[in-house]
């Protein structure tokens, strides 16, 4: 720890690069705090340094999506060239990525503490002072939250080091760390502006704090602390977001558009409450969202990408017919070398990439190799609705109508209103080429299909592929459209009928507590997959080991031979893997630290 403590507020000026909309370039030289924090601009630069940690590679640039938080049941590390590391539950206390993660978080805490200790020093606008004060409090708490969820008991650091001596600090019990996290966040909520004043999701705001507080309390209520009294706090803070008439939070009508916005540098503060910002130009940090986790590509026009994470068969099969989230979250295609798309067949479960973040949707130019400007969401409104529903059900020993309504709001947004099936009722005769299929009526539009002929008969009608929805099933149909089959080199007689998806099919009805919890476990994966939360959800529900064992057994039994390696991401799990090891180098520096049992 000593190595972190002596990096006090002086580091604030080193790299201020993660937030592309509101941060200005700042000096990179080293100054004593005695000679700094004298102006409002210097305080702006200082808080920029605290935000900077979020965009580090060890956090949301890539590690938490592809190394440290994806090792659950939604995907696997799709590479045979590496077989050890946190993503395989095969690591030691000397693992460099774990050390980098730990170091980045304590660096962020040191920077936040330096801001807090000097917040009253400059003569500046009081509204701006309060905002910076709140931002620093929240970010210090958020970094502690990431620490306690990954390591359990951790040193709680609330001041900068004043000397290289005397920095032996013991681990603080997790419950005490949670007490400080929630205190800091609640204090911060009163100081920062509303999201409508901030106007972007890249800066701490009241909605972001309220929603993250709900998450913090849910984790506190779950395993291992099991302080179930905190479910009430989780429910209440989520409800503050939902009841905020000024912000009027709501879901974007299109699930795909949420992620297109992140790629095209557009803010949607109704849906996206808090996000980490990246860019590809100037001094700003690059991310690997869409590259390290995304659709693999070797084409420079699309944007080159590693696509380290493969989507799991389990995740793909969680989605039911009509759920448009499936083909956004699990890419229905892969890129050829020339940038064209090749579509997977419906029975191919392995080899599919994470599809939420797509380099082809980036609007910034030029596109850099592997590096992307795609923002990463830390909190979306759909998460708030699902957290509210879970906490409300726990408080009432089963779902209330408010729970059902919140979940249904998420599910309705996800549902198709296009073609469901096309059934051939007469194959006809005499077709020498594929006839034209026309879909009309039904008050909807956008569906496109093609016919398949065999020995002069129409033997299949297939909806055409679409990069966003998987197939061009259209939308807004209120009744089955008419299917017309014409042409085809003289053939006649083929007829077909269609059925449609209806948004009401998405809705759930009242159920008991256990059934509702099972639904929440699945729904959070369907909605929030690959957003760096699944591992932690499974831990707080105390089902991570069980879930990974199921996934490993399924892969070993059912995956094609060339994908058996995918079981490595789940088969090595041991109970000690519920937390990360304290880095051995930190134990050597900080004599107050004691290693976690098992590590």
């Amino acid at each position: 720890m000593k190595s972190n403590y002596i990096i006090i507020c002086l580091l604030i000026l080193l790299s201020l690069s993660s937030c592309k909309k509101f941060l200005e370039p700042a000096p990179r030289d080293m100054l004593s705090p005695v000679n700094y924090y004298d102006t409002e601009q210097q305080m702006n630069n200082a808080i920029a340094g605290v935000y900077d940690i979020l965009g580090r590679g060890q956090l949301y640039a890539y590690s938490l999506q592809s190394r440290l938080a994806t090792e659950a049941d939604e995907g696997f590390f799709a590479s045979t060239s590496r077989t050890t590391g946190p993503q395989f539950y095969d690591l030691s206390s000397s693992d460099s990525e774990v050390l980098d993660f730990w170091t980045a978080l304590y660096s962020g805490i040191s920077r936040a503490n330096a801001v807090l200790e000097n917040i009253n020093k400059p003569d500046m606008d009081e509204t701006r002072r309060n905002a910076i004060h709140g931002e620093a409090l929240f970010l210090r708490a958020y970094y502690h939250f990431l620490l306690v969820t990954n390591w359990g008991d951790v040193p709680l650091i609330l001041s900068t080091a004043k000397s290289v001596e005397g920095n032996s600090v013991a681990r603080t019990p997790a419950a005490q760390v949670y007490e400080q996290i929630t205190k800091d966040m609640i204090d911060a909520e009163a100081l920062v502006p509303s999201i409508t004043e901030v106007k972007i999701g890249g800066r701490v705001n009241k909605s972001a704090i309220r929603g993250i507080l709900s998450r913090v309390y849910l984790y506190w209520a779950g395993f291992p602390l099991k302080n179930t009294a905190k479910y009430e706090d989780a429910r209440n803070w989520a409800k503050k977001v939902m009841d905020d008439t000024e912000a009027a939070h709501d879901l974007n009508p299109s699930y795909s558009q949420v992620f297109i916005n992140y790629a095209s540098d557009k803010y949607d503060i109704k849906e996206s409450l808090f996000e980490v910002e990246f860019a590809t130009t100037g001094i700003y940090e690059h991310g690997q969202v869409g590259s390290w986790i995304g659709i693999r590509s070797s084409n420079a026009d699309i944007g080159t990408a590693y696509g380290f994470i493969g989507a799991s068969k389990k995740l793909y099969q969680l989605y039911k017919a009509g759920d448009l989230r499936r083909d956004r979250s699990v890419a229905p295609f892969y890129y050829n070398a020339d940038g064209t798309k090749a579509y997977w067949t419906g029975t191919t479960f392995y080899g599919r990439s994470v599809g939420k973040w797509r380099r082809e949707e980036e609007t910034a130019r030029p596109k850099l190799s592997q590096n992307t400007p795609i923002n990463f969401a830390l909190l979306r409104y759909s998460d708030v609705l699902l957290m509210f529903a879970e906490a409300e059900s726990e408080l009432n020993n089963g779902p209330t109508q408010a729970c059902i309504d919140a979940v249904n709001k998420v599910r309705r947004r996800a549902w198709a209103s296009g073609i469901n099936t096309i059934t051939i009722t007469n194959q006809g005769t005499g077709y020498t080429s594929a006839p034209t299929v026309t879909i009309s009526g039904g008050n909807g539009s956008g569906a496109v299909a093609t016919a398949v002929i065999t020995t002069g008969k129409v033997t299949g009608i297939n909806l055409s592929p679409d990069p966003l929805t998987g197939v061009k099933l259209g939308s807004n149909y209120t009744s089955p459209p008419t299917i017309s089959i014409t042409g085809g080199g003289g053939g006649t007689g083929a007829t077909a009928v269609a059925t449609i998806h209806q948004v009401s099919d998405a809705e759930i009805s009242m159920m008991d507590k256990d059934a509702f919890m099972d639904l929440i476990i699945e729904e959070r994966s369907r909605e929030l997959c690959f957003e760096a939360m699944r591992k932690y959800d499974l831990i707080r529900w105390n089902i991570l080991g069980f879930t990974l064992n199921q996934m490993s057994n399924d892969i070993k039994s059912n995956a094609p031979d060339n994908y058996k390696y995918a079981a490595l991401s789940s088969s090595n799990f041991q109970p000690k893997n519920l937390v990360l090891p304290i880095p051995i180098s930190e134990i050597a520096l900080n004599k107050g630290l004691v290693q976690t049992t098992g590590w």
Side-chain angles (χ1 to χ4, degrees), residues 407-456:
V407 174
N408 279 340
K409 187 175 183 67
V410 175
R411 288 175 60 83
R412 281 194 299 267
R413 187 268 294 273
W415 224 253
S417 56
I419 303 294
N420 183 1
T421 63
I422 298 176
T423 303
I424 298 170
T425 53
N426 190 324
Q427 293 183 333
T429 59
Y431 292 96
T432 58
S433 61
T436 299
V437 178
T438 303
I439 303 172
S440 59
N443 298 314
S445 61
V448 178
T450 58
V452 177
I453 62 169
T454 307
T455 62

Side-chain angles (χ1 to χ4, degrees), residues 19-260:
C19 300
K20 62 194 176 204
K21 288 301 182 188
F22 66 90
L23 304 181
E24 296 296 330
R28 292 173 177 265
D29 47 38
M30 302 288 282
L31 298 173
S32 166
V34 173
N35 301 316
Y36 203 67
Y37 308 106
D38 289 331
T39 67
E40 183 171 331
Q41 183 58 54
Q42 289 175 338
M43 290 305 297
N44 286 333
N45 294 341
I47 194 63
V50 187
Y51 277 97
D52 171 68
I53 300 299
L54 291 172
R56 292 293 184 88
Q58 297 79 22
L59 269 71
Y60 294 106
Y62 57 80
S63 279
L64 280 169
Q65 300 96 309
S66 62
R67 295 287 198 271
L68 294 164
T70 305
E71 59 276 35
D73 59 341
E74 295 172 343
F76 56 90
F77 196 74
S79 173
T80 56
S81 62
R82 182 171 179 177
T83 59
T84 61
Q87 66 270 45
F88 299 108
Y89 293 105
D90 187 357
L91 70 156
S92 71
S93 58
S94 61
D95 186 272
S96 61
E97 290 179 280
V98 172
L99 173 61
D100 289 345
F101 188 27
W102 172 280
T103 302
L105 292 172
Y106 276 111
S107 178
I109 289 167
S110 285
R111 294 180 184 197
N113 284 333
V115 171
L116 293 170
E117 290 168 4
N118 290 278
I119 190 64
N120 293 317
K121 186 178 179 185
D123 181 13
M124 61 183 292
D125 177 78
E126 288 303 314
T127 300
R128 182 70 193 120
R129 189 195 312 275
N130 286 339
I132 293 174
H133 187 182
E135 290 170 294
L137 279 171
F138 172 80
L139 290 170
R140 180 176 74 175
Y142 189 74
Y143 296 143
H144 275 112
F145 177 55
L146 292 179
L147 284 160
V148 77
T149 53
N150 281 281
W151 281 276
D153 300 347
V154 292
L156 179 64
I157 308 301
L158 302 179
S159 62
T160 59
K162 302 302 187 290
S163 168
V164 296
E165 302 298 329
N167 290 314
S168 178
V169 183
R171 298 172 72 171
T172 305
Q176 187 176 335
V177 179
Y178 272 105
E179 290 283 3
Q180 186 64 46
I181 289 168
T182 52
K183 179 184 183 305
D184 278 355
M185 288 189 178
I186 291 169
D187 289 348
E189 189 265 350
L191 292 168
V192 302
S194 69
I195 197 167
T196 54
E197 294 174 275
V198 174
K199 295 183 174 60
I200 63 172
R203 190 145 207 164
V204 176
N205 59 80
K206 289 187 186 297
S207 296
I209 295 177
R210 292 165 181 170
I212 295 295
L213 268 166
S214 181
R215 183 182 298 167
V216 170
Y217 280 117
L218 269 184
Y219 282 38
W220 196 354
F223 182 84
L225 296 182
K226 297 183 180 179
N227 190 340
T228 56
K230 302 304 177 184
Y231 281 120
E232 183 173 8
D233 296 287
R235 187 271 310 275
N236 291 345
W237 282 105
K239 199 166 189 305
K240 281 182 180 289
V241 180
M242 297 162 63
D243 292 345
D244 185 346
T245 55
E246 177 193 353
H249 288 294
D250 204 354
L251 302 177
N252 190 299
S254 166
Y255 186 73
S256 285
Q257 190 61 45
V258 173
F259 302 96
I260 294 171

Side-chain angles (χ1 to χ4, degrees), residues 345-544:
T345 64
T347 57
T348 303
F349 299 119
Y350 292 91
R352 295 178 184 251
S353 299
V354 177
K356 280 188 170 179
W357 307 277
R358 304 179 182 185
R359 295 216 62 188
E360 67 176 293
E361 293 169 348
E362 294 173 23
T363 54
R365 297 292 187 275
K367 292 187 178 181
L368 302 183
S369 177
Q370 310 300 343
N371 297 322
T372 82
I374 300 176
N375 286 3
F376 187 78
L378 299 184
L379 180 68
R380 295 194 290 111
Y381 186 56
S382 56
D383 188 9
V384 173
L385 293 170
L386 294 176
M387 289 192 294
F388 166 81
E390 180 181 348
E392 171 82 353
S393 179
E394 290 293 334
L395 284 172
N396 291 279
N397 200 33
T400 62
Q401 189 58 49
C403 298
I404 302 298
D405 291 344
V407 174
N408 279 340
K409 187 175 183 67
V410 175
R411 288 175 60 83
R412 281 194 299 267
R413 187 268 294 273
W415 224 253
S417 56
I419 303 294
N420 183 1
T421 63
I422 298 176
T423 303
I424 298 170
T425 53
N426 190 324
Q427 293 183 333
T429 59
Y431 292 96
T432 58
S433 61
T436 299
V437 178
T438 303
I439 303 172
S440 59
N443 298 314
S445 61
V448 178
T450 58
V452 177
I453 62 169
T454 307
T455 62
K457 297 180 179 181
V458 176
T459 54
I461 297 179
N462 301 319
L463 290 167
S464 300
D466 179 83
L468 294 184
T469 61
V471 292
K472 295 185 182 297
L473 72 173
S475 61
N476 299 318
Y477 290 99
T478 58
S479 60
T482 299
I483 308 297
S484 303
I485 303 171
T486 57
T492 60
T495 58
V497 296
T499 64
I500 59 172
H501 293 292
Q502 300 181 67
V503 174
S504 59
D505 294 339
E507 296 177 354
I508 62 169
S509 55
M510 195 60 69
M511 60 189 75
D512 65 29
K513 181 180 180 180
D514 289 342
F516 187 74
M517 191 64 227
D518 288 342
L519 177 89
I520 287 291
I521 289 171
E522 292 186 350
E523 195 62 30
R524 285 189 65 82
S525 192
R526 284 187 284 257
E527 176 69 23
L528 303 167
C529 57
F530 306 114
E531 295 182 42
M533 285 183 283
R534 184 61 170 178
K535 172 187 172 183
Y536 306 108
D537 277 344
L538 294 176
I539 288 173
R540 67 183 178 86
W541 295 323
N542 199 19
I543 59 173
L544 177 60

Side-chain angles (χ1 to χ4, degrees), residues 521-590:
I521 289 171
E522 292 186 350
E523 195 62 30
R524 285 189 65 82
S525 192
R526 284 187 284 257
E527 176 69 23
L528 303 167
C529 57
F530 306 114
E531 295 182 42
M533 285 183 283
R534 184 61 170 178
K535 172 187 172 183
Y536 306 108
D537 277 344
L538 294 176
I539 288 173
R540 67 183 178 86
W541 295 323
N542 199 19
I543 59 173
L544 177 60
F546 172 78
T547 302
L548 290 174
N549 185 61
Q550 280 190 321
M551 184 171 173
S552 176
N553 289 340
D554 180 63
I555 293 170
K556 291 176 180 178
S557 299
N558 301 312
D561 288 344
N562 60 326
Y563 280 102
K564 298 283 189 195
Y565 76 87
L568 281 175
S569 294
S570 52
S571 60
N572 293 326
F573 178 83
Q574 301 176 49
K576 70 177 184 178
N577 295 119
L578 289 169
V579 293
L580 295 172
I582 301 291
I584 190 66
S585 59
E586 292 299 308
I587 292 177
L589 288 168
N590 177 5

